[in-house]
Amino acid sequence: ANICYEPNLLYNRGPRVMTVTVPAVKGNGVHHQFKDSINGNGNILKAAAKNGDKNVVVLRNKKPKWNEQMRAYCLNFHGRVTKASVKNFQLSDDVEGDSVMLQFGKVGQDAFTMDFTHPLSPVQAFGICISSFDNKKIVD
């Protein structure tokens, strides 16, 4: 899998832009395997760049909407997330639709909740969520 955080225009003051690429699940329930190769055929990012490649699933975070009354960016977690946090996110293969394949959010001072579904495995979902805790800035 590959997790990419793109910088936003507000330099960490607004919602994050996140893209996750995971291997697709074959009909027999096994994930497609990408192997390193000299000619680059095993690269999951190159496969994702080809629109319509059936060997990868590309997930993007749903963009929160600005709520003027709360003066904050908001997503509908259907009651599962109870605290505001920059780490809260929802991933979907259709960011305009209602489907959510992974949601992660704060429920207490040091407590978070994670909900996921196919095609993510528990390890993939957990790894994606843990990545949201790393907020180091990259300096050129």
Side-chain angles (χ1 to χ4, degrees):
N2 178 276
I3 306 164
C4 179
Y5 288 95
E6 300 168 29
N8 61 32
L9 297 176
L10 301 175
Y11 299 101
N12 294 335
R13 290 276 185 200
R16 296 178 181 190
V17 178
M18 180 183 196
T19 303
V20 175
T21 308
V22 294
V25 179
K26 299 177 189 176
N28 61 3
V30 176
H31 283 91
H32 180 82
Q33 291 186 357
F34 288 89
K35 298 178 180 170
D36 291 331
S37 65
I38 294 172
N39 62 10
N41 290 337
N43 190 318
I44 192 169
L45 293 178
K46 286 185 180 180
K50 297 177 193 171
N51 287 338
D53 190 320
K54 303 290 186 215
N55 294 324
V56 296
V57 177
V58 178
L59 305 175
R60 291 184 174 82
N61 65 309
K62 289 185 168 271
K63 293 181 178 31
K65 306 277 190 275
W66 179 255
N67 182 318
E68 190 61 44
Q69 184 178 7
M70 295 179 70
R71 303 206 38 80
Y73 288 99
C74 298
L75 281 169
N76 185 358
F77 286 92
H78 303 284
R80 294 283 297 151
V81 175
T82 56
K83 304 284 184 189
S85 173
V86 70
K87 295 172 182 67
N88 297 351
F89 67 85
Q90 295 177 327
L91 290 179
S92 175
D93 61 349
D94 175 20
V95 294
E96 301 302 323
D98 291 332
S99 70
V100 174
M101 294 182 179
L102 171 63
Q103 69 178 16
F104 179 74
K106 194 168 185 174
V107 294
Q109 183 172 347
D110 293 320
F112 292 83
T113 184
M114 174 184 83
D115 301 320
F116 68 96
T117 187
H118 176 81
L120 296 173
S121 72
V123 172
Q124 288 172 324
F126 184 69
I128 294 165
C129 293
I130 289 295
S131 77
S132 72
F133 287 93
D134 185 18
N135 63 355
K136 295 177 184 174
K137 294 180 182 177
I138 297 174
V139 179
D140 290 336

